[in-house]
Amino acid sequence: MNYPKLSPWPFIDPESPAEGYLKIGESTDRARSKTSKKVWNFFVHDGHLVANKKIQLPDRDDQTGRSAITQYEYPIGGVRWFVDTVERFFLPPDHPNAVPRGKLNMRGEVDGETLGVTRGAWFGGDYVPGYSFDNLNRYEHSTLLTRSRCQMFEMGDPWLFEDGLFELFKEIADRHERGEF
């Protein structure tokens, strides 16, 4: 199914975000940090959650100090939807709100944007299962390239459930619901 695409969000430098961006957390993807530290920064701006990672690129002839930014954007209300949807995957099969067995993704609309949660076998790296937080109205983009697929922020189970990323999403959802941003 095709979803209307929204204009790309401007890239932000997590080390010096533009005015109006509130940093609300960070988390390291340890499974993918074997060669460099993969720190994801989380910001709130204009009613959206912005997940952003900046990495240093290897030096090349006459090119040093280069970096790349990858970024995903979601309506801030979508964070609670993501948490609740992931938890539905763990409900007993006979629970009325459980994700039907065999179904690997769920879709929903939050604040005019179509979001998804997808279960994937390699979302945490080689042979590491996980989940992705999808925004079907936005193209995946980084400062290196733009792909024609939707945004899919892939997170491995260890990062989500052992290294605290899922708890960070819960905290962000709670803070939003308390009106902190």
Side-chain angles (χ1 to χ4, degrees), residues 1-8 113-114 135-140 147-151:
M1 181 171 203
N2 287 328
Y3 297 91
K5 297 298 183 229
L6 298 170
S7 298
E113 297 186 44
T114 305
N135 188 330
L136 285 78
N137 294 114
R138 297 185 183 277
Y139 285 116
E140 185 170 62
R147 293 196 247 181
S148 61
R149 75 176 194 171
C150 71
Q151 291 186 1

Side-chain angles (χ1 to χ4, degrees), residues 29-34 119-132 154-160:
D29 185 354
R30 296 181 201 286
R32 293 190 182 137
S33 291
K34 297 189 184 359
R119 179 74 172 148
W122 287 38
F123 282 175
D126 293 350
Y127 307 104
V128 179
Y131 294 85
S132 69
E154 297 175 355
M155 301 157 272
D157 286 350
W159 185 22
L160 270 172

Side-chain angles (χ1 to χ4, degrees), residues 87-101:
E87 288 177 340
R88 290 178 60 195
F89 280 87
F90 294 95
L91 293 173
D94 58 344
H95 191 283
N97 203 30
V99 172
R101 294 303 175 236

